[in-house]
Amino acid sequence: MAMTSIYKTDEGKKQVISFYDNLLKKWHQPSKQLTVYTQFGNTFVIESGEGNTVTVILLHGSGSNSGMWAADAKELSKNYHVYAIDIIGECGKSSESRPSFKSDSYSDWLSEIIDKLGLKTVSLVGNSLGGWIAIDFAIKYPEKLEKLVLMATAGVVQVKSKTIFWIIITSFFGNWGFNKLNKLVYDNLEIDKKALEFASLIMQNYRPRTDVLPIFSDDSLQNITVPTLFIGGENDCFYNSQKTASRLNNNLKNKQWFVLENTGHVLIDQTDKIMKFLNT
């Protein structure tokens, strides 16, 4: 395998994808697994829910894949047509292609997927990196978007420098470092054993991106015209959720936001808020 691979070894890639495949076997049914061919590479998509209802696209965070949405998709699929998309260049089943964050590539990639799925307009739910892509799309393709949900999103405030420091330090200390980093990311949340096992496997075998996500300007954010919901945790180790909410509040006309107490970067059990927002 070429050194440009997002995985450290061929065997490591096989282990990650095998684990992911086993997780997908437990995905709620009925559902379909699709491959959408784009100019940026093949994209893996999980489709579920009713085809004649509101369409919701789910975009996961960095160093993750659509497996993170299993519980949310189960609930959302009862009322909506749901597509969970593996972001290119991340540790899912899409292409390993990693376009520049400073280009239009990610919003163009998502627009091409929407067109090839035969969709006219969608609502986006984006987590962290997925939130950054969703914001970029909302700015560049407003005609294709109905509503925007941002969860612990990137792109609004700078990542906390102390977190970058701890990521660098803990990367040298094996299991101790892994446990320390998990404490930062999950805060007080009790971690599911399978999720922890998968996170450990990814950390051992995956090469995360090291380039920093651009911060959107006030002018860019003010171009977002669709209703927007932001949910963040007050103890998010990556982004200051209160500052994120404040900046969105100052620049978006139609917005709602929640900063959750005693909550870190990982957000669970938020589907009720999302569905209420989508139904409004």
Side-chain angles (χ1 to χ4, degrees), residues 111-112 114-115 120-123 137 141-146:
S111 177
E112 188 174 347
I114 289 170
D115 290 344
K120 292 184 178 180
T121 59
V122 302
S123 290
F137 184 85
Y141 290 95
E143 73 281 1
K144 294 185 178 183
L145 193 58
E146 293 287 339

Side-chain angles (χ1 to χ4, degrees), residues 82-93:
V82 178
Y83 293 92
I85 298 178
D86 279 1
I87 296 171
I88 51 175
E90 296 299 324
C91 46
K93 300 179 74 173

Side-chain angles (χ1 to χ4, degrees), residues 57-62 85-90 97 99-101 103-111 113-114 124-141 145 148-150 153-156 209 213-214 216 224:
I57 287 180
L58 306 176
L59 297 170
H60 59 79
S62 177
I85 298 178
D86 279 1
I87 296 171
I88 51 175
E90 296 299 324
S97 169
S100 170
F101 289 131
S103 69
D104 292 333
S105 296
Y106 281 94
S107 51
D108 291 348
W109 162 76
L110 184 54
S111 177
I113 292 168
I114 289 170
L124 291 179
V125 180
N127 174 259
S128 196
L129 168 63
W132 185 91
I133 294 172
I135 292 173
D136 196 50
F137 184 85
I139 293 167
K140 293 167 182 171
Y141 290 95
L145 193 58
L148 181 63
V149 179
L150 306 172
T153 188
V156 182
R209 291 189 71 155
L213 285 164
F216 295 101
I224 297 176

Side-chain angles (χ1 to χ4, degrees), residues 10-24:
D10 284 328
E11 180 58 31
K13 176 180 179 178
K14 290 177 182 177
Q15 290 179 23
V16 171
I17 297 302
S18 176
F19 198 107
Y20 185 26
D21 281 335
N22 286 330
L23 291 179
L24 290 176

Side-chain angles (χ1 to χ4, degrees), residues 152-163 230-248 258-259 263-265:
T153 188
V156 182
V157 298
Q158 295 286 352
V159 65
K160 294 179 179 178
S161 56
K162 68 177 183 180
T163 300
F230 167 68
I231 306 173
E234 68 171 355
N235 300 329
D236 190 323
C237 65
F238 289 104
Y239 308 105
N240 186 312
S241 294
Q242 195 62 56
K243 289 183 178 179
T244 298
S246 178
R247 189 152 182 258
L248 292 173
F258 297 91
V259 176
T263 304
H265 186 67

